[in-house]
Amino acid sequence: MQEENKDKKASPLYSEFAYDDAYRTMETECDDIVIPFVNYFYNENYDNTAKITRLRNEHYIEHADQSDEKRITDSHFKITQNDVSKTYHFECESKPYDNSILVRMFEYDSQTALDESKSEGNILRVRFPYAGLLLLRKSLSSPDRAEVIIETPKGEVSYDIKIIKISDFSIDSIFENHLYLMIPFYIFNYESEFKSINEDAERTEDLADVFRNIMDRLDEELEKGNLSALSHNVIIRLTHKVVYKLTMKHNKVQDKVGGIMGGKVLDLPDIKVFHEGKAEGKAEGRAEGLKEGEAERKKLADKNTKLEDENASLKAELEKLKRQMK
C-alpha cells in the first residue's frame, strides 16, 4: 500500500497542498466565481462592474520569544463598486475545526487591518476585513458562527467570522446560488463513506453519476454565460485534483470518479491558452489603440495644415487690401 501511494504521489495530479491550491487558484484567477460567493454569504449585490483588487497575503507574526513566523492567508482582496470598497479575508480549512483556528483568523485579520490603516493626526484608524472560514470536512464540533471580541480600555468591540460548511450544501443549492467556488470540494461530503462505496460497485457508480451530473451542469452554466471559459476550465481541473488527493486510499472510487473528470479535462484547452489569449488580446488592443491614436493625430495634423494654409491666404489678402488702400 505504501509503495502504491508512493507511485500515486509521483503523478502530476498529486499535490500535497491540493485543497489550498484549489481555493487560491479560483480566488486569484476567477472573478466570476468570487463575486457570487461573496454576494451570497454577505448579502451583497455586486455585479460584473465590480472590481476585485488582490491584496497582500503574506505577513509575519511576532512571537513572545521575538521570533517571526511567516503566515500566508488563503485570500485577501478588496471589492469596489460605485466608489465603495470593502475588504474580505477568507480561509479554506481542511482540518477539523478547533478554537486555534479563531486565533489564526484574528492574527490574519489584525495584520490585514494594519495594511489598510490610516493615520489622521494623533489617531490611527484600522478597519478589520469581512472575515470568513470555509470548512471542508464534516464535524460535530463545527459552529454555525464565530465571533471575535476585543476588550479595550473603553469597552468591548467585536466582529463576526462567517462560518461556511461544505456539508450544509447540496449540489442543487450550489448551482442555484452560483456557488461555483465550492464545487471542487463537494467530494468531501462523501469522505466518511469512501470505504463502503469503494467496496460496492453500485454505490461507486452512483457516486460517478453525481460527478457526471456536475460536469454536465458546468457545461450548461458555460453555455448560459454564467461562467467564463477560464472558470469552467479551472473548476473541472481543480475538482479532478482534489478528488485524486482525497481518494488516495480508495482505488475504485479514485479510478471511477477521477476517470470521468480526467476524460473531460482532456477535452479542455490548457489554462495557459487563456492567459496567452488574454495577453494577446491586450497587445492587440494596445496596437489598435496606437493605430487609432496615430489616425487621430494625422487627422489633427491635416486640420492644422489646412488652417495654416487658410491663415496664410487671409494674410496675403489683407496685405493686398492694404496696398490698394495706399
Side-chain angles (χ1 to χ4, degrees), residues 87-114:
T87 303
Y88 299 87
H89 163 225
F90 281 98
E91 291 296 316
C92 178
E93 186 60 61
S94 61
K95 295 178 182 178
Y97 179 88
D98 64 54
N99 289 334
S100 68
I101 294 175
L102 289 186
V103 176
R104 286 191 285 115
M105 289 294 294
F106 176 71
E107 288 177 341
Y108 296 153
D109 293 339
S110 57
Q111 289 295 320
T112 57
L114 283 173

Side-chain angles (χ1 to χ4, degrees), residues 3-29:
E3 284 299 318
E4 186 178 353
N5 282 341
K6 188 176 180 181
D7 291 340
K8 287 183 177 182
K9 287 184 178 181
S11 167
L13 275 176
Y14 180 81
S15 167
E16 190 65 36
F17 306 102
Y19 316 140
D20 290 339
D21 291 347
Y23 179 85
R24 286 177 183 151
T25 300
M26 288 185 288
E27 185 273 320
T28 302
E29 301 286 349

Side-chain angles (χ1 to χ4, degrees), residues 1 4 8 190-205 207 246-257:
M1 179 63 75
E4 186 178 353
K8 287 183 177 182
Y190 297 90
E191 185 179 22
S192 63
E193 303 173 64
F194 279 163
K195 188 175 186 299
S196 58
I197 292 174
N198 198 66
E199 294 171 354
D200 186 326
E202 187 175 343
R203 293 192 67 191
T204 303
E205 189 62 34
L207 182 57
L246 195 62
T247 60
M248 290 283 284
K249 297 178 181 179
H250 307 281
N251 290 341
K252 293 177 182 177
V253 174
Q254 187 180 69
D255 292 344
K256 192 72 175 181
V257 178

Side-chain angles (χ1 to χ4, degrees), residues 167 197 293 300 316:
S167 58
I197 292 174
L300 289 172

